[in-house]
Amino acid sequence: MFYREAGQYKTSYAADMAVFPIRQDRIGLAVILFTAFVLIPAFGNQFFLSSVMIPTLVFALAAIGLNILTGYTGLISLGTAAFMGVGAYACYKLTTWFPGVNIIVWIIASGFVSAFVGAMFGLPSLRIKGFYLVVATLAAQFFLQWCFGRIPWLVNYNTSGAIEAPERFLFGIPITGANATPESRYLVVLGVVALMTWFASNLVHGRVGRAWMAVRDMDIAAELMGIRLLTTKLLAFAVSSFYCGVSGALMVFLWYGSAEPEVFVINQSFLILFMVIIGGLGSLVGSFMGAALIYMLPIVLRLLPAALGVPIAAATVEHLQFIIVGVLIIVFLIAEPHGLARLWQTGKQKLRIWPFPY
């Protein structure tokens, strides 16, 4: 009886079409934000912040980027990791060229570099789709991955071939480098992810998002209605790559601290695709759910048996992760193609009408 919209009257069209039309949803969102911004930094230990929360947020942002392209526009991509790498290397070059500029500025600017590259590789999407578009994005993945390892200019001719995050400050507090605390890095990542999620929510619920979904449902009908396919698809590739590029910059500068080209391999692209499939296509909330499930699964598999007194080898954990993720993908594709997000929506709908069946 606590999740009801009875008595919550809508007096305007904007109120009726709000993203969170029920008061309880807005209260729940406020509680989540308070927990994320206040309670977790105050009470979370170093392992929880550095090894659980920061990676989950980084992968969630990358999953949002892929979801914009695949879930909302219907264009499948296997080049997510490559576009993350473009953002990471662009941020590294920019911060070494202009060390006096705030690192947050270059993290966002690296997303625009990745957006330009993504739009270039998205040009074939006007003529090809389906399996052929997958192959085109796969070619982008392998080509960019080759560039990361074969062009020494990208790493400032570093003999190790790796990029390293220099120490940078925000309001006098180190947020990158060896002296940055997990709390400061977590808050920066959380702030960037929260702002970009808010922007993505407004984008997909507006005119641009409706155009993307029209192209996804039937591109020929969308074109007949006056939607320009080239502009719409290229914008989807650009926005998706922008999110992936910012995610890659956050990964290197605020999580890893340094990275080699092997970080942005095809396996990373598949991992993010699995997050989108299990979390839910066409859902921002599903991107967070899928990222949390896929990334935290091996951590739980390692810690839970040890807590129960059952030792388990690291290789066994890896095999179990592959088995469980594979089974989950098959189950969700057959039983619930819209993933965890649809289950969450179904549960909320049941609460709205409980105890009545319909």
Side-chain angles (χ1 to χ4, degrees):
M1 301 297 291
F2 62 88
Y3 190 75
R4 287 288 188 273
E5 56 183 320
Q8 301 181 32
Y9 302 109
K10 312 297 192 302
T11 58
S12 66
Y13 180 77
D16 188 55
M17 296 300 295
V19 179
F20 300 103
I22 302 178
R23 185 184 302 113
Q24 288 84 342
D25 286 336
R26 297 192 292 271
I27 295 174
L29 178 62
V31 171
I32 292 174
L33 292 177
F34 179 79
T35 302
F37 279 97
V38 178
L39 297 183
I40 290 179
F43 300 101
N45 57 31
Q46 182 175 355
F47 171 79
F48 183 70
L49 292 175
S50 299
S51 302
V52 177
M53 291 307 301
I54 293 178
T56 301
L57 291 172
V58 169
F59 281 123
L61 188 62
I64 289 175
L66 181 59
N67 221 336
I68 288 174
L69 185 64
T70 302
Y72 286 98
T73 317
L75 303 174
I76 305 176
S77 172
L78 289 179
T80 308
F83 299 132
M84 292 175 67
V86 172
Y89 281 90
C91 187
Y92 176 72
K93 295 296 293 185
L94 290 171
T95 193
T96 53
W97 283 344
F98 308 98
V101 180
N102 193 291
I103 186 65
I104 305 298
V105 175
W106 294 138
I107 289 176
I108 301 300
S110 64
F112 289 101
V113 178
S114 183
F116 174 77
V117 176
M120 292 299 100
F121 283 103
L123 285 173
S125 65
L126 184 64
R127 297 296 181 185
I128 58 177
K129 57 184 177 179
F131 174 76
Y132 300 99
L133 182 59
V134 172
V135 174
T137 57
L138 192 63
Q141 168 69 43
F142 288 130
F143 173 74
L144 292 174
Q145 184 180 331
W146 178 88
C147 293
F148 299 152
R150 295 294 187 273
I151 302 179
W153 176 81
L154 293 175
V155 296
N156 292 335
Y157 302 96
N158 191 349
T159 55
S160 65
I163 54 177
E164 299 179 0
E167 189 175 50
R168 295 292 184 266
F169 296 85
L170 182 64
F171 304 117
I173 301 174
I175 59 174
T176 61
N179 296 323
T181 62
E183 291 81 6
S184 62
R185 292 186 289 112
Y186 165 75
L187 287 174
V188 172
V189 173
L190 178 62
V192 173
V193 172
L195 286 175
M196 295 187 66
T197 303
W198 170 78
F199 179 76
S201 177
N202 287 317
L203 197 63
V204 299
H205 287 94
R207 179 180 59 85
V208 175
R210 291 192 295 270
W212 285 341
M213 288 182 275
V215 172
R216 175 196 64 190
D217 294 338
M218 184 175 291
D219 54 353
I220 297 178
E223 188 175 17
L224 292 175
M225 289 190 298
I227 296 176
R228 299 181 61 184
L229 294 185
L230 177 61
T231 305
T232 304
K233 290 184 177 182
L234 286 186
L235 182 61
F237 264 99
V239 174
S240 172
S241 301
F242 174 81
Y243 275 75
C244 294
V246 173
S247 173
L250 292 175
M251 172 184 286
V252 173
F253 282 79
L254 293 166
W255 176 19
Y256 286 161
S258 63
E260 297 181 348
E262 287 73 20
V263 173
F264 308 106
V265 294
I266 184 65
N267 290 343
Q268 193 84 286
S269 297
F270 279 114
L271 185 68
I272 298 171
L273 180 61
F274 297 157
M275 293 176 183
V276 172
I277 293 174
I278 294 177
L281 291 168
S283 171
L284 300 181
V285 175
S287 300
F288 285 91
M289 291 180 176
L293 178 63
I294 296 296
Y295 182 78
M296 294 183 183
L297 180 62
I299 299 177
V300 173
L301 290 177
R302 283 195 299 266
L303 297 180
L304 185 60
L308 298 176
V310 180
I312 184 171
T316 306
V317 171
E318 186 177 2
H319 296 322
L320 285 175
Q321 179 189 4
F322 290 146
I323 294 172
I324 295 175
V325 171
V327 170
L328 286 175
I329 291 174
I330 295 174
V331 169
F332 275 107
L333 287 177
I334 296 175
E336 185 50 84
H338 294 284
L340 294 171
R342 177 55 63 87
L343 295 180
W344 173 249
Q345 291 293 332
T346 303
K348 291 200 302 180
Q349 184 63 26
K350 295 288 185 182
L351 282 175
R352 291 172 68 176
I353 60 176
W354 185 84
F356 305 104
Y358 54 85

